[in-house]
Amino acid sequence: MRNAFDEKTGLNSLDLPGRPEETRVVVAMSGGVDSSVTAALLKEQGYDVVGITMQLYDHGVAVSRKGACCAGQDIQDARRVADAIGIPHYVLDYEDRFRKAVMDDFADSYAAGETPIPCVRCNERVKFRDLLETARDLGAAALATGHYISSRTGKAGRELRRPRDLERDQSYFLFTTTREQLEFLRFPLGDLTKPEARALAARMGLGVVAEKPDSQDICFVPTGRYTTIVQRLKPEAATPGEVVHLDGRVLGRHEGIINFTIGQRRGLGIGADGPASEPLFVVKLDPVRHRVIVGPKEALETSRLVLRDVNWLGDLPLEALPEGGMDLLARVRSTREPVPARIEYDGAGLVVTLTEGEGGVAPGQACVFYDAADPARVLGGGWIARTESRWQMEEAASAATARVAAAG
């Protein structure tokens, strides 16, 4: 980070007016190395730092599990770090809010045949909403987190940007962050790599977290089996049904669509699943008729997406997009790099056309946008409501041509 205070501009290292010692910052402390280093760095620079840890779920089952977060041992680790660097630390019980806003949503989404991303929902509905309001109530000028993401002031306000360490890039999970929230949020680790963060933890005497394993994506699934918690929260999601080929053939039966994901190849439980037969993949889940739809690999190559609940961070509003759409980069998985795409706003929603097809894309996932001219800048994103594969589009076009020919 740069010098803690700039005499010329009157801004401190967090782009806030006033000297660090006059600036209160609340740090969201999960008990891991990243948020611990964030708190320690800000304290070292002289800020008035307050640490807050959220207890998000019944931590009794996760106290000894490596890779958990916001649970029993993590809360103790956050408290030890706060004591070590000399800052006040509070634990807030958000279990009820987390269950309703994140866990129930996760189960509902899975039961609807989608592939949810609970980490995004947690940031959107708990950390950057409830915790942000708590920070304001405490008189803070900013809420700082240990996310590997960056922000800076741009033409239309603060911009969300990818971090220096692209291997740790968390921008995919933060696409719902609004402009208003960005004005209050700060991400001090945006210019650090993970090894540098761990080295800082060791230098600052934070041995309790310096080599601590990273948290897992699904913190509230102790066994790593999503179906366990979905079945507990949404028992009807385990209703048996048919496995059906795209051409209409019934190939077998299943014990619930929650046991399947888009793109799945193995474990379909049908004769056509064998190595000597036509390779089949899960291409669609039908929760209404409790059907698992399978088809050839080419049916997975998604070329068009219809989005809902779009959060747009571009300089111009969506309504002002050029006629015919806008070229940008799109990312449909956190583990994939952004690819060329085009977005069009039709007044009701946003349609994304991928220049090259992407496999295994499913409703419930996110599509995140990046500026084609400045790929580090995040332009927002939306939730995938519907996908259209190149195969489906070609089949529909062929069927339409056949109908026209028959009518003629």
Side-chain angles (χ1 to χ4, degrees):
M1 296 176 67
R2 65 177 191 265
N3 291 335
F5 184 70
D6 188 326
E7 295 284 354
K8 293 182 179 180
T9 63
L11 298 176
N12 55 44
S13 60
L14 295 178
D15 287 333
L16 295 168
R19 296 181 177 277
E21 59 268 24
E22 302 166 345
T23 307
R24 172 166 291 180
V25 181
V26 165
V27 177
M29 301 182 68
S30 66
V33 61
D34 299 323
S35 59
S36 297
V37 168
T38 297
L41 275 174
L42 295 176
K43 174 65 175 178
E44 189 175 71
Q45 291 196 340
Y47 289 95
D48 176 12
V49 180
V50 176
I52 292 183
T53 299
M54 300 178 295
Q55 180 176 309
L56 297 182
Y57 59 97
D58 183 5
H59 58 266
V61 297
V63 169
S64 61
R65 185 170 72 87
K66 291 184 179 181
C69 74
C70 305
Q73 184 60 54
D74 303 290
I75 292 173
Q76 297 303 318
D77 289 343
R79 181 173 290 121
R80 291 190 185 97
V81 169
D83 289 344
I85 63 179
I87 64 170
H89 176 252
Y90 304 98
V91 178
L92 303 181
D93 184 356
Y94 281 7
E95 285 194 28
D96 187 57
R97 301 184 203 187
F98 183 75
R99 179 183 58 78
K100 293 177 180 177
V102 180
M103 295 176 66
D104 286 351
D105 177 83
F106 174 82
D108 289 342
S109 185
Y110 243 108
E114 298 182 338
T115 303
I117 314 173
C119 291
V120 176
R121 288 302 193 197
C122 182
N123 290 324
E124 175 190 12
R125 298 179 175 180
V126 182
K127 291 180 182 176
F128 291 172
R129 186 178 66 184
D130 297 325
L131 185 54
L132 190 146
E133 288 305 313
T134 298
R136 292 188 191 278
D137 292 341
L138 289 173
L143 170 66
T145 78
H147 288 102
Y148 284 88
I149 190 71
S150 182
S151 69
R152 74 181 187 196
T153 302
K155 291 188 298 183
R158 289 194 75 81
E159 300 173 351
L160 194 64
R161 304 184 68 82
R162 299 181 75 183
R164 174 185 156 209
D165 187 351
L166 293 181
E167 290 186 2
R168 308 297 306 183
D169 178 17
Q170 292 176 293
S171 60
Y172 184 83
F173 300 102
L174 298 176
F175 81 90
T176 60
T177 308
T178 66
R179 283 198 179 280
E180 181 183 7
Q181 292 168 341
L182 279 175
E183 295 297 328
F184 193 73
L185 288 164
R186 294 297 184 270
F187 310 104
L189 301 191
D191 291 327
L192 294 179
T193 66
K194 185 74 175 195
E196 288 171 344
R198 291 196 183 278
L200 280 172
R203 175 180 70 77
M204 293 173 171
L206 308 180
V208 66
V209 296
E211 298 301 326
K212 189 172 182 179
D214 293 335
S215 60
Q216 302 295 320
D217 286 346
I218 313 296
C219 61
F220 55 88
V221 185
T223 64
R225 289 181 58 82
Y226 306 159
T227 53
T228 302
I229 191 165
V230 175
Q231 194 164 357
R232 178 167 65 84
L233 296 174
K234 203 81 174 174
E236 63 272 24
T239 302
E242 296 174 331
V243 179
V244 182
H245 194 281
L246 277 171
D247 62 15
R249 286 178 291 152
V250 176
L251 303 179
R253 305 247 338 145
H254 65 79
E255 296 302 316
I257 64 171
I258 61 172
N259 297 298
F260 300 87
T261 57
I262 301 298
Q264 182 174 329
R265 165 73 178 94
R266 301 295 180 187
L268 303 185
I270 56 179
D273 197 28
S277 12
E278 174 196 9
L280 293 176
F281 301 79
V282 176
V283 298
K284 184 179 178 181
L285 297 172
D286 183 349
V288 176
R289 293 186 290 180
H290 308 293
R291 282 183 162 186
V292 174
I293 317 297
V294 298
K297 187 175 183 179
E298 53 265 30
L300 285 172
E301 188 176 314
T302 299
S303 58
R304 186 177 296 167
L305 313 169
V306 178
L307 305 185
R308 58 178 170 80
D309 301 329
V310 173
N311 179 50
W312 180 248
L313 298 175
D315 294 333
L316 296 175
L318 280 175
E319 294 80 357
L321 287 180
E323 185 176 350
M326 171 183 174
D327 291 326
L328 42 60
L329 301 175
R331 194 180 194 180
V332 294
R333 291 263 184 93
S334 64
T335 54
R336 297 179 184 176
E337 279 299 299
V339 297
R342 189 170 188 80
I343 61 170
E344 296 179 73
Y345 183 69
D346 62 7
L350 206 63
V351 177
V352 182
T353 301
L354 302 173
T355 302
E356 296 184 6
E358 289 272 339
V361 184
Q365 293 176 333
C367 178
V368 181
F369 310 135
Y370 300 83
D371 192 333
D374 181 8
R377 184 180 177 188
V378 183
L379 295 178
W383 296 99
I384 299 174
R386 190 171 75 251
T387 66
E388 296 179 14
S389 71
R390 197 177 306 276
W391 184 86
Q392 289 173 311
M393 294 170 65
E394 291 172 352
E395 287 286 299
S398 297
T401 301
R403 285 195 297 269
V404 171

